[in-house]
Amino acid sequence: MICYNPFAFVPMVVTLTTAIVYLAIFIPVIVIHETVPSAPKNPTVYRGLNLTEAWLDLAELTNGYHPYNSRRNDEVRDWLLRRIAGILDHNRVQYSSESDPKSQLKEVSTVGQQAQEPTYPDHVESITLDHDELRARSSSPTAVIFNDLVANYTASALTKPGETKRRLGISTYFEGNNIIVYIRGAEDEEGEWWKSTKPSTKTKHGKGGVMVNAHFDSVSSGYGATDNGVGVITALQLVKYFTTEGNTPKRGVVALFNNGEEDGLYGAKAFLSHPMASFVHTFLNLEGAGGGGRSTMFRATDTEVARAYGKARHPFGTVVANDGFSLGVIRSETDYIVFRAEGYRGVDVAFWEPRSVYHTDEDDTKHTSIDSVWHMLSASVETMKYLTSRTNEFVGPRGDNDEKKVENGRGTPGVWFDLFGQVLAVFRLRSLFAWSLAILISSPLILILITLLLVRQDKYYLFSGEIEKEGLDDHVVSLQGWRGFSRFPITLIVSGAITTGAAFLLRKINPLIIYSSQYSVWAMSMSLFFCLFWFLMAGSNFVRPSALHRTYAFIWMFSIGWILLVAATVFEDRLKIGSSYMFVIYESAVFLATLIALCELFALPTKSSVVESSREEQENQAGIAAVPRSDALIYDGNSPNGHDESGAAEATETTPLFGGNNHRSAIGATFSRGYHRSTTANLDGAEDNSHGKHHAFGNEQTWSEKLPAWTWLLQFLLIGPFTLIIIGQVGLFLVAGLAQTGTDGSPLLLPYLAVALFSILLVLPITPFMHRVTHQIPTFLFLVFVGTLIYNLSAFPFSTNARYKAYFQQTVDLESGINRVYLIGLEEYIRDIISFVPSASGQTISCDKKPTIRDGVVFCSYEGPAPKVVDNVKDGVPPEKAFHDWLTYNVTRLEGQNKATFHISGLETKACIMRFDEPFSAFSVEGAAPSDGKWPDVPETGSDQIKLWHRDWNREWVVDVEWPVSDGKKPGEEGRNGRVVCLWSDHNYPGVIPALDEVKRYAPKWTSVVKSMDGLVEGSKPFVV
């Protein structure tokens, strides 16, 4: 076809346009997802920040494993105290340090000192407040360092509420040792108001302040660079920033360096008993749930605080993650939930991927980057500036109506998503709900109105069949308006089912290939759906061409989308789920495209005129047929049997002018008329050699010749680019978070289903135009599908860049000396790993499921080398000889009561556990703070564990325990039994845990070994009361 319109709905234009648009969107979306914005060359872009200094701090912080129960954790804590004091000294501010009711005030002289010249980026707004004025308040230090060695908390919680596998609680007593830095705001009260006993929070705390929180403990198997070293050095830099001249905040800043997050969010819970807790009204929580990359806004309590994060230079995040936590799809938690439950309003910013590095020995500075540090740091500065400067926001009655806390107003549920990591779209959930309702109500009414107008003008060709022309005996004209009606839903169902089936195939054959090869799975799924859809659509168009093909496709897309939008709107209203913004945007675009498709029909002639033209054409052809041809003068064409050679009966006045032996006329093409065309050409959309300004494409209905040739492009631009950006970003975000969760017991099928679903959603924008795409694209994609299918089914799923996680723990019976090494994970790979471990050679490896501890995995065990976590034997003496001294306890039973007192001591540990075979009903720990009702007591079903955490080494616990009286029994007639367990988590020195050293040394390169429980080693003794 010679095409004079570069926007015409013809194969070559459609193919090139759609290919260019898809590539132009997919390439930057993937690049942005995989890369991190570069850190500036100037390390002091913000006055008061120093990126180079932050990077050096990260190296110091991550110089060893530092879980709460380790000596290295104490060293990190001491370093933080020195570092904070050094920052305040450098900034020459007056500050005090408090670790008890008495405080020491430190004044810094500024005589003879010159402030460093500030530097600002063009768009950074400085807060100009006289620094000398702040330091002039002799009675009100600019900053206060709280060395909290007092706070503790006692609580109980059901481990799996609502599940029948475990209905008993786990109780905890924890002694915190957080570090809290208070930076006085320009509008904060003077004096040491936190020491006041006045009941009025307004008198004590004014308008409240903003907290930044970061836990400084790591897991026992990871150095904690991104979990949570980057968060800690970001908080340090924020302390430096807000105490730098010219950066004094309007509202006070609280920097919480909490200790004990990894084992149960303990540090954040202990903070809530500190006086500063009642001053906080908003917060920024910094975390790590991946190994680097971009930090993302995991969650936000409401629209208003989400806007604060939106001020970041490169915001990254979507409300889909927030809803994932709310619905329980994402099971891990951060300190955010502690602060949210307290009534604070804030955001949760964390690293998201790769999960294969999370909690491993690769979570170090070598495997993160200064770019990642800058991404979190720059976002945190802008977020905190917004929250501290908006003194007219976050005011008014609290959402929880707690008058003992500072007022922070009531937030509104929000919706947010980023666009190319450059801007964050934020709006209220009620706005989305109103938008959804508007589309649900108005869109079908508008389409019905357009339909009625088309019917009234006799131009509604959809669903038009045979029309009998008055005045023409037995003459019936078929407009073929039904042609193409059922293609889209059938094709969608078939293609979608096969694509989903491929997901099940991968789950069955190679269930973890997505762990290391996400894009291979994406390519397979998308190419499969595209090829299937193209083959069925192009084949249908080849057999029965239809000018209404595109219109019917949009009608089906709109109808299906409308039904889904009904469900999404219910979720928005009832469950406060904002993730439906994708479907609202999608349905809005499809509605507009469908509206254009219907409006196109106004350009067509009336159906009655088409029938009239058909009658005139038949009469003209009849007149032409009546004129004898030259060859008829020589041969009459009759055969000896009285019929012509074609086998047709002799024509009479009742014989139709054309169309065979029936009395019907078809307006358009038939398969018999075009059977001789090239199959490839037809699958490419049919040849079209007509060069007139208006003509029907190929062999489509002749009445379609006046359909606009360019409106398809407007439709594609409506449903294509923006929806591809939104859905593409969410798809990559979700799959990246899910792809590497299979090794920890999460459902293996879920990431494949997510890929299949988003593959379908990403291809859908092109499906109404699919029959015009030339065969080169699906041919190429078919080869892609074949190659990726073979790879995905046969490739080994792990590599040195995406290592399998095996969970480690060693248990020791301190009386018998027997130890068991547990490697936990998927049995196929765990047995393979154990086969490389020398000490396990020749042993019978037993693998059992323990769903009450961890679902979806098996616990494989063998006898390993004895641990040496307590150095109480001489060289050459087996450590088993000293096991008995590692843990001592004494139990005293109260006569005539179901009560007992335990005295428990452990060497070289700050953590022990009491495990009961049957539940207890109450407990108390000597030295515990009185209960204020903040934390739940032992649940009605009882608890069967008490976790005990000291802030100091080698201290004794004194625990009183009470258990219920059973039916038919009297107090004192029943006892309890169980085990006292102590934990050791320090793996900074070789030879301390030889079994772990051995596994890490001999395990395959595609394996990483991470901690399974609170302790790498558990030593226990039985007790009977």
Side-chain angles (χ1 to χ4, degrees):
M1 171 186 176
I2 299 176
C3 180
Y4 300 103
N5 184 355
F7 307 114
F9 189 46
V10 294
M12 188 55 65
V13 174
V14 173
T15 301
L16 290 177
T17 303
T18 53
I20 291 172
V21 169
Y22 267 80
L23 290 175
I25 291 172
F26 279 6
I27 290 174
V29 166
I30 294 173
V31 168
I32 289 170
H33 179 80
E34 291 293 329
T35 60
V36 185
S38 298
K41 294 182 180 179
N42 179 8
T44 58
V45 171
Y46 290 91
R47 179 174 57 185
L49 297 186
N50 191 310
L51 187 57
T52 302
E53 181 181 88
W55 183 255
L56 294 175
D57 284 345
L58 181 64
E60 174 63 30
L61 179 65
T62 58
N63 186 25
Y65 308 121
H66 47 284
Y68 184 88
N69 189 21
S70 70
R71 296 285 183 178
R72 173 61 185 164
N73 182 273
D74 297 339
E75 295 172 4
V76 167
R77 188 176 185 279
D78 292 340
W79 172 81
L80 279 173
L81 286 168
R82 294 193 304 270
R83 186 74 186 91
I84 294 167
I87 289 172
L88 298 179
D89 287 336
H90 177 271
N91 284 351
R92 310 192 60 76
V93 299
Q94 175 184 285
Y95 69 92
S96 65
S97 179
E98 296 191 7
S99 57
D100 52 49
K102 298 180 180 180
S103 65
Q104 296 179 340
L105 183 66
K106 180 169 183 179
E107 297 188 31
V108 181
S109 173
T110 60
V111 177
Q113 300 293 333
Q114 183 130 12
Q116 182 180 358
E117 183 68 20
T119 57
Y120 286 101
D122 293 338
H123 69 283
V124 176
E125 177 185 355
S126 70
I127 303 174
T128 56
L129 241 163
D130 188 5
H131 194 61
D132 292 332
E133 177 185 342
L134 291 176
R135 283 190 273 110
R137 310 178 197 170
S138 59
S139 61
S140 302
T142 302
V144 181
I145 304 173
F146 295 93
N147 181 16
D148 185 4
L149 299 175
V150 177
N152 63 67
Y153 90 99
T154 305
S156 299
L158 291 172
T159 53
K160 295 183 179 179
E163 293 191 10
T164 58
K165 293 180 181 178
R166 181 182 183 90
R167 293 182 295 108
L168 298 178
I170 292 181
S171 301
T172 303
Y173 169 76
F174 178 82
E175 296 177 351
N177 57 0
N178 298 327
I179 300 172
I180 306 160
V181 181
Y182 167 59
I183 303 170
R184 191 180 302 274
E187 299 183 2
D188 285 1
E189 294 184 25
E190 299 291 335
E192 297 177 330
W193 47 259
W194 53 89
K195 295 182 179 180
S196 172
T197 58
K198 296 179 182 180
S200 171
T201 57
K202 291 183 179 180
T203 301
K204 291 184 347 182
H205 308 306
K207 294 182 179 180
V210 185
M211 178 178 69
V212 56
N213 171 71
H215 71 87
F216 64 84
D217 61 310
S218 75
V219 294
S220 54
S221 57
Y223 296 105
T226 55
D227 183 23
N228 186 32
V230 177
V232 172
I233 64 169
T234 294
L236 284 174
Q237 288 295 308
L238 288 172
V239 170
K240 183 176 183 180
Y241 177 82
F242 284 112
T243 56
T244 297
E245 182 178 358
N247 295 340
T248 302
K250 290 184 179 180
R251 283 180 168 171
V253 171
V254 176
L256 171 59
F257 301 87
N258 89 67
N259 194 12
E261 187 269 354
E262 293 292 357
D263 297 312
L265 314 181
Y266 299 142
K269 295 172 182 176
F271 166 74
L272 297 184
S273 63
H274 191 274
M276 276 293 155
S278 59
F279 172 72
V280 175
H281 75 344
T282 52
F283 70 93
L284 168 64
N285 184 56
L286 302 176
E287 249 297 358
R294 292 177 183 243
S295 61
T296 180
M297 184 168 71
F298 254 179
R299 289 175 282 188
T301 56
D302 51 75
T303 307
E304 292 74 21
V305 292
R307 290 198 179 104
Y309 176 79
K311 299 300 179 181
R313 296 185 171 198
H314 300 283
F316 190 69
T318 170
V319 72
V320 174
N322 193 87
D323 293 340
F325 281 99
S326 299
L327 296 174
V329 177
I330 302 175
R331 296 185 296 179
S332 61
E333 282 295 357
T334 69
D335 290 330
Y336 170 90
I337 63 165
V338 177
F339 303 136
R340 184 188 62 189
E342 185 66 7
Y344 302 163
R345 299 169 61 186
V347 295
D348 195 15
V349 176
F351 293 103
W352 179 243
E353 60 164 335
R355 292 281 293 182
S356 61
V357 175
Y358 179 58
H359 282 183
T360 73
D361 56 5
E362 287 188 347
D363 186 14
D364 54 14
T365 54
K366 181 180 178 180
H367 292 88
T368 189
S369 69
I370 198 169
D371 295 335
S372 294
V373 173
W374 174 247
H375 192 258
M376 175 173 276
L377 177 57
S378 60
S380 299
V381 171
E382 294 296 339
T383 303
M384 291 293 291
K385 283 174 60 180
Y386 183 98
L387 293 175
T388 56
S389 63
R390 300 299 177 110
T391 55
N392 294 327
E393 296 184 32
F394 313 109
V395 294
R398 297 173 56 91
D400 57 10
N401 298 314
D402 192 337
E403 297 180 356
K404 296 181 180 179
K405 303 171 186 174
V406 67
E407 292 186 347
N408 62 356
R410 291 185 172 90
T412 56
V415 179
W416 57 87
F417 55 89
D418 74 280
L419 294 173
F420 290 115
Q422 298 298 316
V423 64
L424 190 74
V426 184
F427 50 93
R428 294 183 176 183
L429 182 61
R430 297 305 298 178
S431 299
L432 180 67
F433 179 69
W435 183 3
S436 302
L437 283 180
I439 294 296
L440 283 175
I441 296 171
S442 64
S443 60
L445 293 178
I446 292 173
L447 295 182
I448 291 172
L449 177 62
I450 297 298
T451 299
L452 292 176
L453 291 175
L454 286 168
V455 171
R456 187 170 183 177
Q457 295 190 20
D458 196 27
K459 295 183 178 183
Y460 191 66
Y461 283 81
L462 297 170
F463 313 111
S464 296
E466 298 174 346
I467 298 179
E468 184 175 347
K469 178 62 180 175
E470 297 181 3
L472 196 63
D473 295 340
D474 299 328
H475 181 71
V476 177
V477 177
S478 176
L479 296 177
Q480 299 175 341
W482 280 91
R483 183 173 291 183
F485 167 71
S486 59
R487 294 176 189 174
F488 185 86
I490 294 174
T491 303
L492 179 63
I493 292 171
V494 173
S495 303
I498 295 176
T499 303
T500 305
F504 280 88
L505 178 66
L506 291 183
R507 165 62 180 85
K508 181 177 179 61
I509 303 298
N510 198 1
L512 287 171
I513 186 59
I514 198 171
Y515 193 92
S516 61
S517 305
Q518 295 178 38
Y519 289 109
S520 177
V521 177
W522 272 110
M524 186 202 78
S525 185
M526 289 191 66
S527 60
L528 173 60
F529 184 77
F530 187 100
C531 290
L532 289 169
F533 211 103
W534 178 87
F535 179 78
L536 294 174
M537 278 298 199
S540 300
N541 187 64
F542 169 60
V543 175
R544 292 173 62 83
S546 174
L548 298 175
H549 178 109
R550 179 162 39 108
T551 304
Y552 276 126
F554 278 120
I555 290 174
W556 277 109
M557 289 177 68
F558 172 79
S559 301
I560 296 171
W562 192 88
I563 294 172
L564 293 176
L565 187 57
V566 171
T569 305
V570 172
F571 275 89
E572 293 165 10
D573 184 50
R574 301 294 178 85
L575 300 179
K576 307 304 178 186
I577 300 300
S579 300
S580 58
Y581 73 88
M582 296 183 295
F583 299 102
V584 179
I585 294 173
Y586 213 121
E587 181 66 1
S588 300
V590 170
F591 159 64
L592 293 176
T594 307
L595 180 62
I596 292 172
L598 289 180
C599 289
E600 284 180 334
L601 300 183
F602 284 109
L604 296 176
T606 61
K607 292 189 288 185
S608 59
S609 65
V610 170
V611 175
E612 181 64 26
S613 297
S614 173
R615 184 186 67 81
E616 292 176 356
E617 182 182 357
Q618 293 176 34
E619 291 176 349
N620 291 336
Q621 290 189 12
I624 294 173
V627 178
R629 294 173 297 174
S630 60
D631 57 349
L633 299 175
I634 301 172
Y635 175 63
D636 63 3
N638 292 329
S639 63
N641 60 6
H643 297 279
D644 62 17
E645 291 181 354
S646 66
E650 182 179 356
T652 69
E653 62 180 7
T654 61
T655 301
L657 294 178
F658 61 92
N661 295 324
N662 55 43
H663 301 283
R664 298 181 181 179
S665 172
I667 306 300
T670 64
F671 176 72
S672 61
R673 291 172 57 189
Y675 76 95
H676 57 280
R677 293 173 287 150
S678 165
T679 301
T680 302
N682 276 280
L683 291 177
D684 283 349
E687 295 180 2
D688 191 8
N689 297 316
S690 301
H691 302 160
K693 183 177 180 180
H694 297 292
H695 63 277
F697 183 86
N699 292 283
E700 294 177 349
Q701 297 93 328
T702 55
W703 46 257
S704 66
E705 61 186 9
K706 291 188 178 181
L707 281 174
W710 55 271
T711 50
W712 80 273
L713 183 59
L714 181 58
Q715 291 172 318
F716 178 64
L717 293 179
L718 280 172
I719 69 168
F722 192 68
T723 54
L724 289 176
I725 293 169
I726 297 297
I727 294 174
Q729 289 185 160
V730 173
L732 287 174
F733 181 84
L734 282 182
V735 173
L738 293 172
Q740 295 183 331
T741 59
T743 58
D744 61 13
S746 298
L748 296 175
L749 180 61
L750 186 58
Y752 295 106
L753 292 179
V755 170
L757 172 62
F758 280 93
S759 295
I760 293 171
L761 292 176
L762 288 170
V763 175
L764 273 181
I766 197 179
T767 53
F769 322 102
M770 190 80 79
H771 60 297
R772 287 287 199 272
V773 175
T774 61
H775 71 279
Q776 288 86 356
I777 298 295
T779 300
F780 170 75
L781 291 179
F782 179 74
L783 296 177
V784 171
F785 165 69
V786 172
T788 52
L789 177 65
I790 294 172
Y791 174 84
N792 291 335
L793 292 177
S794 59
F796 188 69
F798 309 109
S799 66
T800 54
N801 294 323
R803 298 187 300 169
Y804 175 86
K805 283 185 183 179
Y807 296 89
F808 174 92
Q809 187 184 42
Q810 187 172 19
T811 62
V812 182
D813 187 317
L814 297 178
E815 290 195 340
S816 66
I818 298 175
N819 82 82
R820 300 295 295 178
V821 175
Y822 289 90
L823 285 183
I824 303 161
L826 303 178
E827 185 169 355
E828 173 187 357
Y829 300 104
I830 294 299
R831 286 189 178 275
D832 190 16
I833 294 169
I834 292 177
S835 68
F836 290 91
V837 179
S839 65
S841 179
Q843 296 189 42
T844 300
I845 309 301
S846 59
C847 295
D848 304 303
K849 293 182 179 180
K850 298 181 179 181
T852 58
I853 300 176
R854 186 187 286 266
D855 289 331
V857 294
V858 297
F859 290 66
C860 297
S861 65
Y862 60 92
E863 186 176 355
K868 303 176 183 179
V869 292
V870 178
D871 186 15
N872 61 342
V873 294
K874 297 181 180 180
D875 292 340
V877 177
E880 292 89 343
K881 297 292 184 180
F883 278 175
H884 190 272
D885 297 332
W886 289 9
L887 164 63
T888 58
Y889 73 90
N890 178 267
V891 185
T892 303
R893 175 72 180 268
L894 299 181
E895 186 176 354
Q897 301 182 55
N898 282 10
K899 294 182 180 180
T901 300
F902 290 77
H903 294 256
I904 302 171
S905 297
L907 296 178
E908 285 301 309
T909 184
K910 295 191 290 185
C912 289
I913 304 176
M914 300 170 62
R915 292 179 178 149
F916 293 80
D917 293 341
E918 295 181 75
F920 58 88
S921 56
F923 80 104
S924 63
V925 180
E926 185 179 87
S931 175
D932 58 2
K934 186 184 301 294
W935 305 108
D937 297 325
V938 175
E940 293 182 1
T941 55
S943 292
D944 62 354
Q945 293 187 41
I946 303 175
K947 293 185 176 183
L948 303 168
W949 298 85
H950 270 319
R951 66 174 62 90
D952 303 313
W953 296 93
N954 304 324
R955 272 180 55 203
E956 182 185 65
W957 285 278
V958 179
V959 185
D960 294 324
V961 181
E962 182 177 357
W963 54 95
V965 179
S966 302
D967 293 339
K969 299 287 186 177
K970 296 180 180 180
E973 293 183 351
E974 299 174 276
R976 284 293 185 268
N977 51 32
R979 301 189 75 86
V980 177
V981 184
C982 283
L983 314 178
W984 289 270
S985 309
D986 201 334
H987 185 237
N988 282 295
Y989 304 99
V992 174
I993 309 178
L996 180 55
D997 295 336
E998 181 186 42
V999 173
K1000 296 183 71 170
R1001 179 180 180 183
Y1002 291 102
K1005 294 181 178 180
W1006 48 265
T1007 303
S1008 62
V1009 184
V1010 299
K1011 67 107 176 180
S1012 172
M1013 303 294 184
D1014 297 342
L1016 291 171
V1017 174
E1018 288 188 359
S1020 65
K1021 292 181 178 180
F1023 69 82
V1024 178
V1025 180

